[in-house]
Amino acid sequence: MIERPRWMGLWYDAAKSVLHLAGSIFFRVQYSGQENIPPTGGLIIAANHQSTLDPPLIGIGVPRRLNFLARKTLYRFSPFGMLIRSLDAIPLDQEGSPLAGLREALRRVREGEGTLIFPEGSRSWDGKIAPFQGGFTVLARRSNATIVPAAIEGAWDAWPRWEWFPRTGNVHVHYGAAMPPDEVHRLRGDALVREVERRVREIHAELCRRPVFARRTHRRKPPNPLPPD
């Protein structure tokens, strides 16, 4: 495990408690499948990406410390930059070279920590899952990590990427069956990407069949044409 100042651990736990309370009040967050998350060892949570809400709402359901990759552009807004620094997020330079951030993520996972990854690469415009990119598989294989596929539903309805502020809603998160290191190494090349994507899509489809989501009669439409990323 990575050594950190004691205050950083206490602050992480306090922030997690506050976010859990806020998530319960504003988004009625429900979690399932947490028993599938191994309590120790290198871990990668691979999930779909619907909203800015995804990192905190997926993260607070994980019963162990989790690392987050944060775009370097997020650090430009000083208050938010201070917040994610205090939580020891990993800066990722998507406009230049992301190698430094990925090397740090690799170091932490090798040390037995967990990291949340969104293989789609960016937030969804329509709530649907985009094809997965394969970068996370290099991290998983080199760190000998367990992969836990996960899915979130309802976050897109609560805060789609073109809106400035969220609204209340229902959000559910499910953590699927773990893929241990031997299974990760057995799936060669793009087979691992396809398998993780298949599992995340399957979990997401199950969430969408839950009554609170199945009875939806109206969903917001993204702007047309879409703004540039």
Side-chain angles (χ1 to χ4, degrees), residues 127-145:
K128 298 177 182 178
I129 299 176
F132 278 17
Q133 302 173 22
F136 75 97
T137 62
V138 177
L139 176 62
R141 290 188 176 110
R142 290 188 178 180
S143 63
N144 207 37

Side-chain angles (χ1 to χ4, degrees), residues 50-214:
Q50 292 194 330
S51 167
T52 302
L53 296 169
D54 299 344
L57 294 186
I58 294 174
I60 58 179
V62 176
R64 53 184 286 190
R65 185 184 179 94
L66 203 61
N67 292 291
F68 303 91
L69 294 165
R71 298 192 315 273
K72 270 195 171 181
T73 53
L74 295 175
Y75 290 81
R76 295 174 185 170
F77 179 55
S78 295
F80 190 73
M82 291 176 60
L83 173 62
I84 55 182
R85 282 191 185 93
S86 71
L87 296 172
D88 204 19
I90 302 171
L92 190 67
D93 187 0
Q94 292 181 312
E95 298 175 349
S97 173
L99 291 178
L102 294 175
R103 281 196 294 266
E104 177 61 17
L106 175 61
R107 183 179 77 91
R108 296 189 190 187
V109 177
R110 277 178 170 169
E111 289 288 333
E113 296 195 344
T115 296
L116 175 61
I117 298 287
F118 297 109
E120 292 168 273
S122 62
R123 291 166 292 166
S124 172
W125 279 106
D126 56 9
K128 298 177 182 178
I129 299 176
F132 278 17
Q133 302 173 22
F136 75 97
T137 62
V138 177
L139 176 62
R141 290 188 176 110
R142 290 188 178 180
S143 63
N144 207 37
T146 294
I147 297 178
V148 171
I152 186 169
E153 175 56 22
W156 183 85
D157 296 280
W159 198 0
R161 62 182 295 177
W162 66 88
E163 295 286 357
W164 284 100
F165 301 103
R167 63 180 183 181
T168 59
N170 294 281
V171 176
H172 289 196
V173 179
H174 181 80
Y175 307 94
M179 301 174 65
D182 59 341
E183 183 178 359
V184 170
H185 288 287
R186 190 167 60 247
L187 293 168
R188 302 287 184 176
D190 290 341
L192 179 58
V193 183
R194 293 193 298 269
E195 178 61 17
V196 174
E197 181 178 342
R198 184 192 69 78
R199 294 190 186 199
V200 172
R201 288 182 181 275
E202 187 176 84
I203 296 167
H204 182 249
E206 291 176 0
L207 290 179
C208 290
R209 287 193 289 269
R210 292 184 178 181
V212 69
F213 301 120

